[in-house]
Each structure stands twice: as structure tokens, then as C-alpha cells.
Amino acid sequence: MKKFLLFIPIFTFVFFSYSQNIPEHISHLGIYDFIDEMASEKLISINTAIKPYSRELISQKLVEINTLKEQLNRRQKNELTFYLREYNLEFNANSSEYKYNLAKNTHVNASLLPFGVFYSDSAFRMAVRPQWGIKYYKTGDSAMYHQWGGAEMMGYIGKNFGFYASLIDHTQNRPLSGSTIITQEQGAMLKGEASNNYSEIRGGITYSWRWGNVGLIKDNLQWGENYHGANILSGRTQSVAMLKLNIKPTKWFEFNYFHARLASNVVDSASSYNYDGSNIRLIMRPKYMAANMFTFTPWRGLNLSVGNSIIYSDESIQLQYLIPFMFFKSVDDTYNATDNQAGNNSQIFATISSRNIKHLHLYASLFIDEMSIKRMFKPTEQSNFISIKAGVNISNFPFKNLSLTSEYTRNNPLVYQHFIPTTTYASGSINMGNYLGDNSDELFLQLKYKPISRLELSGSVTVYRLGTRYHYAIDDPWGLPFMQSEISRTSLVSFKAEYEALNNVYVYFEGTQFNNSGTDIYNPLYLRSNIIGKQDGLMLNGGFAIGF
């Protein structure tokens, strides 16, 4: 590592003279937590409302932290060294950083730390790595598991092009997620047979320059400040294909945009046809989403973001939604204002994040699905279909390596819903917003301790409530009261230990005491008692993963 650090000034010069882009998936929580902690320590500045980060951005931040490493404690220094090795590919794949090298020559390295096969020359860098993992859930006499396996590759061509692909096959013995299940597990498009198997491929190609990048990718996005489930874009659906743009021409402004093809799961009966007299070829209605986010940083540590989105369907890609900087509701009115049944589904959102006080992160996210200013304070007429999330995170104060998070979420009735089935705020029938859905709220408290590098011990309390499940196309939408009738309440007390033994190699164990009141049909199977009349129990969960 000492040899590597000698080259930091050279790497910094080369690295900032050009840019390349490969997203680091949002499931890599270890590096995201570390970057978040360093931002709260005021060592770096980063926009945490938009994820995933690129591997190049993470590399830049690690180099920046390394110049200030005398301010880190022992655990933080060890983690910095660990993650610098993980992003060695972005530093021109320096052979000396690959440990336990099984096949080392001028261009090729096959190492155990980090795990994979790596290639590098003056014009081309590439990595190929395996992915495998298993999660096991035990509640009473019931056992569930989720197993997956596959491989990923990533690479850079010249100074501007990046490419990547990840193909994973998943197997569940019982369904762990779904359109009506309250869980942060990723949803899935299951195969037609009675099976819980599905595959997931992510990937794309990107072009980058010094202050921006554009890509044609298929991946997951997470928008909104949060530590326990974003309320703008949660990233819970299967990955979707999109044209994605990011620009940051100056320190005080950043812009993000994407135009995506969603999965409608709505059959187009007019286009479907009978092809052999007894079988029907089903055609799904097309569904698209365009969204943007403007982020302003008036001074270091304070990020203010505002953006909007639109979901449209039943037509081909529309040019007006390919213009990144549009206010999409007004654009839609230009073409469809004659009748509400003809229009599309638009949203507005905003976030605020303050790290102006060392160790302290204050944040909030607002999602507006529909709101009328003139009726918003009239209880029987309001249509305040909004979601609000706010919280505070305190790290390394008053004790080092300790952090505390407190977060509250409120989702009003009918937020994320729409009366036209093809323009709902969903992909593959999975809500793209907060995992609780509408007419719900949640209080989340977490205490986290890291005694040594990459070992995380945490305890958390989560209480969420569900109100009457209204349906936009059936119930009168005006004046619906928030949580007038509570149909379900779930309390979770969890303790978890997680360790990143090697780069991208995780092992964890978790125990959760759950208590349900009211109906529990919306909870995942592992948070339901299998004893008739009993609504509490202990869930044990463990897992191992190589890659993500």
C-alpha cells in the first residue's frame, strides 16, 4: 500500500484530466456507508440524494480522503486502505495492489484480494468477477431462502468510454417480495410457471468527459435522502433500461436526468393476437418515465435539490420528454390538457441535506404526486398525495465509530397511485416509491457501532403502520384522511452483525423480534407467525455473498 500512496499525486493529475463512468450498484452498502461517514466528517462533499455513484466518483473521493488521512482514526484508515484496493481498476490496475495473485504478468492479474481476473494496458482495462450468495430466513417452523449466482464484468476503453454487465440467476423457495408485500427486498418479474426463479441483468455503455457523462444503461436508481428506504425512487424494482445524463459543470451545481422504459404488466388487447388457433401472443402496453433533478450547493455541506418526472404510456417515445431540462407537467398540458383522461402522470420532488456541522447530517425528502394549493387546507376537498421523509444522523460523536440515526416517513393516501393502470408509479407492478406504499408511516431508529475495520454491529427499532388501502380508480380521491383507520401495525427490534471479510465478500447474521397487530397479510412471510392466533415471533436471518 505504501508504494501505491507514492503515486497518489500522479494518479490525481491523470484522473482529473479525464473521466469515465461505471455505476457502483446501490447494494454495495459498505462503500456507500463509508463515503457517507466521510461526508459527515466534512472531509469530502458529495450529493447523497442521487445514487448510484460512479466508481470513478468514489475513487476521486477516496483519493481526496487520503490526502487528509491524518484526521482519520485507526478503523477509518484501515477501511480507506481496503477500499483503495477495491477501486484499483480505476487507478490503471496497478499490479502491486492485487494480493495473492494466482496469474500475474504484465497485463493480467488473477487475485484473491480483490477477488477476480483483471486486465490492463495503455488503452484498455477490464475486470471479470464471480457473484454468488445466499440468504436464509428462519421463523418458527418455517424456513425460506434466496440464492443467486452469476458473474459481472466491467471495463474502460481509452479515456472516455466505460462498459459493464452483470448477469445473476435467482432462486427463492418461497416468494420474498411482491407488489403487495411490505419489504425492501428487490421485486422481481417471475417466470410464467409456478416458480420463484428469475434472472436479472444489468449493464450498459457510457461516455464521459471532464464535467459530465451520458450512458445507455439498464440499472437501478435511488433518489432521495434516506437511511432506510428512499421515498422518491427506492431502487426496489428490477433494473430498467434508460438513457441517463449527469453534468456537473461547477462546484455549486449538478444536474441529473434519465428517460427509461418501464414494465407496464398491462396487456394491449388490440395488439395481442392468436397465432395458431389456440394460443395468444400477448403484447404489453409500452410505458416510459422521464425525470430530472437540479442540485444546488450554495455553500459546502448544504445541498438543495428539486426535480420532476412524468410517466407516460400507450404511445411511442415522445420527443418532448427527451429534452432533459423540461417541467414535464407543463409539457404534458401542451398535448393533453383537453381531458384528464388523456393526460399522463407527473410528479414533483425536492430534497435538502445539511452537513454544515461536523458529525451531523440533517436531511429531508418531499415527493408530490398531486396537490392543489387552493384546496390543500380544506379537509374534505384536499388532494395532498404526498410523501415526506425527514431524519438526522449523528456519527462519531460523542464516541468514535458510533452512529445514531432517527428517521420518520409519512405517505399520504393515494400517493404513488394513479387511476390509469398504464401510468402508475410502478414498474413490473412494484411501486417505485417508498416501500410502505400509500397511507402509511414509519419511525426508524438505529444505533451502529464499528469496533474494527469492516465489522458493523447495529441495533434498530422500526415501527410502521398501514391505513386503509384505498384504490384511486374506485374510491373518491378528495379529502381522504390520513390513517383514519389503522389496519396493521408492525414493530421490529433487530440486532445485526455484518463483516466484509474480503473485497466484495460479505457475511452477516441478524435476529429480529417482530410483533404484528391487525392484519399481517402485507408482511413478508418471514415476519409472520406460523402459529394460528399468534402475531409475534423471532426471525433469524443469515447470509453470505460474493459480489452484489
Side-chain angles (χ1 to χ4, degrees), residues 10-19 56 59-60 90-91:
I10 298 175
F11 284 143
T12 303
F13 174 79
V14 174
F15 200 82
F16 283 95
S17 64
Y18 61 89
S19 178
E56 293 68 28
S59 301
Q60 291 178 20
E90 281 63 45
F91 297 116

Side-chain angles (χ1 to χ4, degrees), residues 183-236:
T183 176
Q184 295 198 54
E185 295 274 353
Q186 179 179 295
M189 295 277 284
L190 300 179
K191 298 177 182 178
E193 65 269 21
S195 169
N196 295 316
N197 298 332
Y198 64 97
S199 65
E200 170 78 309
I201 185 166
R202 298 182 289 105
I205 185 168
T206 64
Y207 180 83
S208 306
W209 56 99
R210 186 178 60 84
W211 48 268
N213 60 82
V214 63
L216 181 60
I217 68 172
K218 181 176 182 287
D219 218 315
N220 301 96
L221 300 180
Q222 186 181 98
W223 283 18
E225 297 286 350
N226 79 98
Y227 288 85
H228 194 250
N231 68 332
I232 298 176
L233 285 170
S234 67
R236 287 184 57 238

Side-chain angles (χ1 to χ4, degrees), residues 182 409 411 431 434-438 440-442 464 466 469:
I182 303 299
T409 306
N411 304 321
N431 169 32
N434 184 254
Y435 79 104
L436 294 171
D438 71 308
S440 61
D441 67 354
E442 176 187 73
Y464 58 80
L466 306 180
R469 308 312 263 176

Side-chain angles (χ1 to χ4, degrees), residues 216-330:
L216 181 60
I217 68 172
K218 181 176 182 287
D219 218 315
N220 301 96
L221 300 180
Q222 186 181 98
W223 283 18
E225 297 286 350
N226 79 98
Y227 288 85
H228 194 250
N231 68 332
I232 298 176
L233 285 170
S234 67
R236 287 184 57 238
T237 69
Q238 281 194 276
S239 60
V240 295
M242 69 190 80
L243 178 67
K244 186 171 178 285
L245 171 69
N246 166 265
I247 60 174
K248 189 174 175 60
T250 182
K251 291 182 178 180
W252 58 266
F253 175 70
E254 179 179 347
F255 176 76
N256 286 274
Y257 163 85
F258 70 86
H259 186 285
R261 172 68 185 263
L262 306 181
S264 72
N265 279 13
V266 177
V267 175
D268 185 343
S269 58
S271 299
S272 300
Y273 57 91
N274 188 305
Y275 61 87
D276 64 0
S278 59
N279 293 295
I280 298 177
R281 164 64 170 167
L282 296 179
I283 305 297
M284 298 296 175
R285 289 188 177 274
K287 184 175 183 178
Y288 304 94
M289 179 179 185
N292 59 35
M293 184 81 92
F294 301 80
T295 300
F296 302 91
T297 307
W299 55 82
R300 183 182 172 94
L302 179 64
N303 288 331
L304 307 173
S305 300
V306 62
N308 78 118
S309 62
I310 192 162
I311 297 175
Y312 67 98
S313 66
D314 304 317
E315 52 192 345
S316 60
I317 293 176
Q318 298 295 290
L319 293 179
Q320 62 269 31
Y321 302 129
L322 292 175
I323 304 173
F325 308 100
M326 290 288 99
F327 181 57
F328 299 117
K329 177 64 171 69
S330 294

